[in-house]
Amino acid sequence: EEAKALKKRNVKALKDILSNMSKVTYRTTWQEAQRLLLDNVDFVNDTELQNMDKEDALIVFEEYIRELERIHEDSIETQRKYIRRTNRKNREAFLYFLDELHEQGKLHSMSLWVELFGIISNDERFSKMLGQPGSTPLDLFKLYVEDLKARFHDEKKVVKEILKDKGYTIDIDSTFEKFAEIISTDKRAAALDAGNIKLTFNSVCRN
């Protein structure tokens, strides 16, 4: 009974000492730990701990290392989740920035990266995207423009409907400025892409 109590006491004492030793990490070997323990005042001054069964001491050490490994793995996973979440937020913020540019009429289906790079690269939402894995700002820009281009046929129909409702006919003397002005007076124009309006004008003029 006394031996059990002593073993229990030594197990706890060794755990406490190990947990207070900052040099012991999840990578520490048993050999390294033994050397570190010999430099530890609490361990050296504890005669009962000095006489602890080596196998019991090893078991305590291994359990403690496994605990440190779990903590380390949890920390890495938490960090990974944080990075993934941050990257996702950066992408969302950049897409919102593209939405802003689109609403301002600066970005449309005919836009080129090289033309807007000056504006885009000066925004922190662009800077935060740099260096992170996955889609680059250029990738997102291209996809955004492609999505706008994909709306062309539907928006062309809307433009033609507006022209019909307004009784406006395009002829050889028609200018895009006048065309755009007519379109803009209709509330449906608010949902149209500026580039697609221009492409529709070009298309109608050719016919």
Side-chain angles (χ1 to χ4, degrees):
E1 198 66 38
E2 192 177 321
K4 277 186 181 179
L6 180 60
K7 179 180 176 179
K8 187 177 179 181
R9 179 259 175 207
N10 283 343
V11 165
K12 185 182 183 307
L14 184 56
K15 275 184 182 176
D16 290 344
I17 288 172
L18 287 171
S19 64
N20 286 316
M21 291 170 67
S22 59
K23 288 185 179 179
V24 175
T25 72
Y26 70 98
R27 289 178 173 173
T28 304
T29 64
W30 175 229
Q31 287 75 20
E32 290 168 342
Q34 285 176 293
R35 285 197 296 273
L36 291 169
L37 284 168
L38 292 174
D39 291 331
N40 184 278
V41 177
D42 293 331
F43 180 79
V44 172
N45 291 337
D46 193 326
T47 51
E48 289 180 337
L49 207 52
Q50 295 276 329
N51 296 322
M52 183 180 183
D53 182 82
K54 289 288 185 286
E55 196 173 323
D56 289 341
L58 177 59
I59 290 169
V60 170
F61 170 76
E62 287 176 340
E63 284 178 355
Y64 180 65
I65 291 300
R66 277 197 292 272
E67 186 183 332
L68 290 183
E69 285 172 345
R70 278 195 301 272
I71 292 169
H72 175 69
E73 285 164 10
D74 288 347
S75 172
I76 287 176
E77 185 54 33
T78 300
Q79 192 176 4
R80 280 183 187 143
K81 283 180 181 175
Y82 173 76
I83 291 170
R84 283 197 296 268
R85 188 166 63 247
T86 301
N87 290 346
R88 189 183 69 249
K89 284 184 176 179
N90 287 343
R91 282 192 295 273
E92 288 170 356
F94 185 74
L95 286 171
Y96 184 74
F97 173 42
L98 295 182
D99 281 338
E100 287 177 2
L101 292 176
H102 183 245
E103 285 168 14
Q104 293 163 11
K106 294 174 182 175
L107 171 59
H108 48 75
S109 62
M110 296 170 69
S111 293
L112 297 174
W113 175 256
V114 68
E115 293 171 346
L116 286 172
F117 183 72
I119 296 171
I120 292 172
S121 61
N122 279 325
D123 195 282
E124 68 169 359
R125 287 167 288 188
F126 167 81
S127 305
K128 285 182 177 179
M129 283 280 295
L130 299 179
Q132 72 176 43
S135 301
T136 65
L138 176 57
D139 292 333
L140 295 178
F141 176 87
K142 285 180 176 178
L143 287 170
Y144 196 94
V145 171
E146 284 301 317
D147 285 343
L148 293 177
K149 285 179 179 176
R151 287 162 43 180
F152 172 66
H153 291 293
D154 289 335
E155 294 193 354
K156 183 180 178 182
K157 289 177 187 174
V158 176
V159 170
K160 285 187 171 182
E161 285 170 9
I162 293 173
L163 292 176
K164 187 179 177 183
D165 293 345
K166 300 289 181 184
Y168 183 77
T169 306
I170 294 177
D171 56 36
I172 197 163
D173 296 320
S174 298
T175 63
F176 174 68
E177 287 70 23
K178 182 63 179 174
F179 173 83
E181 185 185 327
I182 296 292
I183 299 299
S184 66
T185 59
D186 192 287
K187 63 181 181 182
R188 286 170 288 181
L192 300 175
D193 173 71
N196 287 339
I197 293 173
K198 176 69 172 172
L199 288 170
T200 300
F201 175 77
N202 294 344
S203 172
V204 173
C205 283
R206 283 198 301 269
N207 294 336

